[in-house]
Amino acid sequence: MAVSSRTRVGIVGAGPAGLMLAQLLSLRGIDSIVIENRSREYCEARQRAGMLEAGTVAALRAAGAGKRLDAEGLEHDGIYLQFSGERHHVNFRELVGRTVTVYAQTEIVKDLIAARLAAAAPIEFSASQVSVSGVTTDAPVLSYVDAAGVAHEVTCDVIAGCDGFHGISRPLVPGLSVYERSYPYAWLGILADAAPSTDELIYSRHESGFALYSMRSPDVSRLYLQVPAEEDLQAWSDDRIWAELQKRFGLPGWSVSEGRITDKSITPMRSFVAGPMRHGRLFLAGDAAHIVPPCGAKGLNLAVGDAIVLASALSALLVEGSPALADDYSDACLRRVWRATHFSYFMTSMMHVLPGDPFDDAIQRAQLRYVTSSHPAATSLAENYSGYDSPVVGG
Ligand code: RFL
Ligand code: PHB
């Protein structure tokens, strides 16, 4: 016999989308439960995003999760774009009056989990057999087996599918339209105990391939290399990685500072948008509905944006009995998602090298020349990178 309980919102997944939604609902006095199939340790250590739009920073502050972000986040005025042996700064603060902030997704997840636990609000890690039923009724059920092996059935008003790209929620939406693009390359990412030798991120297009210089703190660098899709991580010794990074970023008198590599992984690249993001009483948010390639740093920001829009929509629906925002949820999110999908595609296509394609090579360098020399073109890049049309908490 399963243990039965009731809450207003059942949230599947304790990534940024699910945790932010839970936090925003709790600030509005709406009860929820978060069910996660991985352990807390795993969720808090999973290396992913690092760059936050201005609107995401404001939203985390408004959600009461901005204290450590304000103390430890690294605020940047812009980014560097490097190509043909030149490095150009694109200054977002000057161009659009906004900045961006480096603060790792791992830290956001830790901060939001800590807030949830401090409020003694329900969150289950290491759950198994997670399933959702009855989403076209007004009492959908979230079922799972907890870490101790006890089965639970939680009757909810609404279910939020925040369970990432490989979750169980998206397949529950019938007649989904899917738009997809894969790219013939991947990113090899490393984390290194090395003080960054740059003050802001460098996106470098080199004839050997793209490279990104990012960071996590004044002592830790996060670096990425374009590698072929399906690349074998074993083919990349630490020495080979550093040599390739030095080559792709190197400028006369400047080099990458090296250190101990503490994490190494390969990420495939994909653009994916699925809609509608709602079926009955099931709402999808974040990577469960859309994926962007990481060049341009949009994925985490989109996930937080969905959570903000969904929290307002569910508050109107469940507290005021007004369905208008919930009915508009999918369209409102998809407008923002498609803008970011185009921007990520634009950045990815401009920066990555397709060997043996001289036309592509010339087009990319012409585009890079344009965005680093034309004020309107640089302004467009700055507007998109720093966050166009970000939703506002409580808005
Ligand atoms: P997540 O983070 O994948 O969280 C989903 C959670 O759901 C859990 N789950 C389940 N739980 C219960 N039952 C099930 N059946 C479940 N199935 C799955 C999972 O364990 C997980 O905890 O999705 P969410 O919340 O939508 O957040 C999305 C972001 O994580 C993602 O978009 C970003 O990390 C993308 N991304 C970046 N985004 C940025 O905005 N800026 C960046 O700088 C940036 N860099 C990156 C990135 C993603 C990367 N990788 C590895 C994909 C760099 C990389 C390398
Ligand atoms: C990161 O710091 O992990 C990062 C930053 C910018 C990107 C992608 C990833 O475009």
Side-chain angles (χ1 to χ4, degrees), residues 13 54 56 67 69 88 125 128 183 190 192:
T56 302
K67 203 163 162 220
L69 163 64
H88 299 260
F125 291 100
S128 56
Y183 302 86
I190 63 157

Side-chain angles (χ1 to χ4, degrees), residues 12 17 33 138 156 216 224 247 251 262 312 350 371:
V12 191
I33 187 167
D138 54 13
C156 309
R216 288 293 174 261
Y224 298 97
K247 183 168 71 180
L251 288 178
T262 57
S312 296
M350 179 168 71
V371 295

Side-chain angles (χ1 to χ4, degrees), residues 316-328:
L317 182 71
L318 302 177
V319 181
E320 293 142 37
S322 161
L325 289 180
D327 290 346
D328 190 46

Side-chain angles (χ1 to χ4, degrees), residues 186-329:
W187 276 15
L188 187 163
I190 63 157
L191 205 57
D193 289 334
S197 39
T198 176
D199 57 341
E200 298 192 342
L201 269 58
I202 307 169
Y203 289 78
S204 179
R205 184 188 182 281
H206 183 273
E207 60 197 17
S208 306
F210 169 71
L212 171 62
Y213 202 141
S214 183
M215 61 198 73
R216 288 293 174 261
S217 74
D219 307 310
V220 176
S221 297
R222 175 80 166 144
L223 297 127
Y224 298 97
L225 285 170
Q226 173 189 345
V227 295
E230 319 296 336
E231 182 72 327
D232 180 6
L233 195 54
Q234 300 306 319
W236 288 84
S237 66
D238 292 5
D239 287 349
R240 182 178 176 202
I241 291 174
W242 288 120
E244 198 62 25
L245 288 167
Q246 298 295 2
K247 183 168 71 180
R248 295 191 195 180
F249 286 114
L251 288 178
W254 188 95
S255 63
V256 176
S257 49
E258 301 184 11
R260 191 172 64 93
I261 295 179
T262 57
D263 190 271
K264 218 192 262 190
S265 63
I266 292 195
T267 306
M269 299 259 227
R270 178 190 283 125
S271 297
F272 177 96
V273 181
M277 290 169 61
R278 174 188 183 179
H279 176 56
R281 293 246 166 177
L282 171 68
F283 294 79
L284 304 180
D287 279 14
H290 42 77
I291 296 272
V292 288
C295 195
K298 288 291 159 225
L300 165 62
N301 294 292
L302 286 176
V304 169
D306 289 354
I308 296 169
V309 178
L310 187 52
S312 296
L314 294 183
S315 173
L317 182 71
L318 302 177
V319 181
E320 293 142 37
S322 161
L325 289 180
D327 290 346
D328 190 46
Y329 169 72

Side-chain angles (χ1 to χ4, degrees), residues 12-18 35-38 42-43 46-52 105 127 130 162-168 187 216 222 224 265 267-268 285-288 290 292 294 296-303:
V12 191
I35 304 299
E36 164 65 49
N37 64 358
R38 300 287 195 156
Y42 182 91
C43 293
R46 187 166 34 197
Q47 287 306 321
R48 287 214 175 154
M51 187 52 121
L52 308 184
Q105 179 167 329
V130 182
C162 305
D163 46 352
F165 189 67
H166 300 288
I168 54 158
W187 276 15
R216 288 293 174 261
R222 175 80 166 144
Y224 298 97
S265 63
T267 306
D287 279 14
H290 42 77
V292 288
K298 288 291 159 225
L300 165 62
N301 294 292
L302 286 176

